[in-house]
Amino acid sequence: MNFPRFRERWPAVRHKAFVRTFSGLLPYYVVNEFPKSGGTWLAQMLSDALDVPFRRNAPIRFERSVTHGHFLYPLGLRNVVVLWRDPRDLLVSFYYHCYFINEHHNSTLVSMMKSRCPFKDYSNIFANLPYFIRFISETPVSPRFSWTEFVSVWARRPGTVQTSYAALRLNTAMELARVVHELTGAMLNAELAVEIADRHSFARAQKAAELQKKDGSEMSFVREGAVGNWQKHFSSDAFAAIRDTGIENSLNAIHDLVDYK
């Protein structure tokens, strides 16, 4: 057994075990997403709306709280909010997360991706994106499943609350209130919803991220966040890659949620 690797993975293993075992008991309110769909943002807002902790980048505790993760298998999970994002925006954001060190401990992932899927110029996303899309779809590294696999399991899954990054960006307070109501049956006060939306606005998140940047960070975890920003980075080869890998076809299950055009 590779013990250094096991020690590195232990926090994630422990986290998933706790969530699967106790999500229906405490409960844990679980924000589940494919990486870079906005899960941290939604978890922070749900934490405020439900008045329970969200211990970001800290060991999970035996307490009623909001938690966040990338779960493929639904075994044991309860109180799940599934968050979707247009995969084209997601892929661009995930590319930056895979190749540029940010303030949230992604250096191991960056080293791994540069070793397994290297490019001559990592800043040339326009040229690199098609191969990156094929690589993470066919040989996923972290998480160890593809976006299409995630869709096949979680799209409109009964017993879950389904929302999207686009809906939250369009009217944060209204969509947050809807999610809270579907998740708990409780109505979120409209003024409180607006206050929470303002507290976690993208502009404030960017400022906070800049203050948290450490030596060695190449890019902020909170980068652009705009809906439709993929258009600056997609070539015809990138479009071919999302067709060939099944990403475009899998969108049929959630096309109205992500407002795919």
Side-chain angles (χ1 to χ4, degrees):
M1 179 183 291
N2 186 331
F3 284 101
R5 178 64 176 155
F6 177 78
R7 284 198 301 269
E8 182 180 294
R9 288 189 53 78
W10 171 244
V13 172
R14 178 181 180 274
H15 177 92
K16 290 190 173 184
F18 260 67
V19 175
R20 291 190 188 281
T21 305
F22 301 116
S23 63
L25 176 64
L26 294 172
Y28 292 134
Y29 300 101
V30 185
V31 176
N32 191 27
E33 59 155 1
F34 194 85
K36 305 306 291 182
S37 296
T40 299
W41 176 45
L42 176 56
Q44 289 172 323
M45 292 192 292
L46 280 176
S47 172
D48 286 0
L50 302 175
D51 194 25
V52 297
F54 168 49
R55 302 192 187 282
R56 181 182 185 185
N57 296 325
I60 194 167
R61 300 183 184 184
F62 191 75
E63 62 183 354
R64 179 173 178 259
S65 59
V66 173
T67 189
H68 159 250
H70 316 300
F71 294 90
L72 179 60
Y73 302 112
L75 178 66
L77 298 179
R78 302 290 185 272
N79 310 300
V80 178
V81 181
V82 185
L83 179 60
W84 299 104
R85 187 180 185 186
D86 184 326
R88 296 166 299 186
D89 278 327
L90 180 155
L91 287 163
V92 170
S93 186
F94 195 39
Y95 175 92
Y96 281 105
H97 185 64
C98 286
Y99 289 111
F100 297 92
I101 295 172
N102 60 47
E103 66 274 18
H104 285 299
H105 314 294
N106 69 326
S107 58
T108 299
L109 174 63
V110 171
S111 296
M112 194 182 307
M113 287 299 296
K114 286 185 174 180
S115 171
R116 299 187 187 183
C117 184
F119 298 107
K120 289 183 179 179
D121 178 7
Y122 293 102
S123 65
N124 190 354
I125 184 173
F126 190 83
N128 301 341
L129 191 59
Y131 188 82
F132 172 76
I133 292 170
R134 295 178 191 277
F135 179 84
I136 65 167
S137 297
E138 296 164 4
T139 54
V141 173
S142 180
R144 295 182 179 181
F145 54 84
S146 67
W147 191 84
T148 55
E149 289 176 296
F150 186 80
V151 172
S152 70
V153 174
W154 290 103
R156 307 193 184 284
R157 187 171 188 84
T160 65
V161 180
Q162 307 259 327
T163 186
S164 72
Y165 183 84
L168 285 162
R169 287 301 302 268
L170 181 64
N171 192 325
T172 307
M174 182 181 296
E175 183 64 6
L176 177 64
R178 185 192 69 81
V179 169
V180 168
H181 183 251
E182 289 199 22
L183 186 62
T184 68
M187 300 297 295
L188 181 62
N189 177 275
E191 290 184 3
L192 178 58
V194 171
E195 179 185 323
I196 292 170
D198 181 63
R199 188 183 308 151
H200 295 283
S201 69
F202 192 77
R204 291 192 179 205
Q206 279 186 313
K207 288 182 181 179
E210 284 300 318
L211 292 174
Q212 293 173 13
K213 281 184 73 172
K214 302 172 183 177
D215 292 342
S217 293
E218 300 168 308
M219 186 168 292
S220 174
F221 179 80
V222 182
R223 198 175 52 83
E224 292 185 355
V227 175
N229 209 36
W230 59 268
Q231 297 175 71
K232 298 192 299 186
H233 306 286
F234 259 65
S235 63
S236 58
D237 287 342
F239 278 112
I242 65 169
R243 288 194 300 270
D244 295 345
T245 56
I247 292 173
E248 190 170 56
N249 284 340
S250 67
L251 274 162
N252 292 331
I254 57 165
H255 66 92
D256 57 324
L257 284 171
V258 300
D259 194 25
Y260 183 78
K261 297 176 181 177

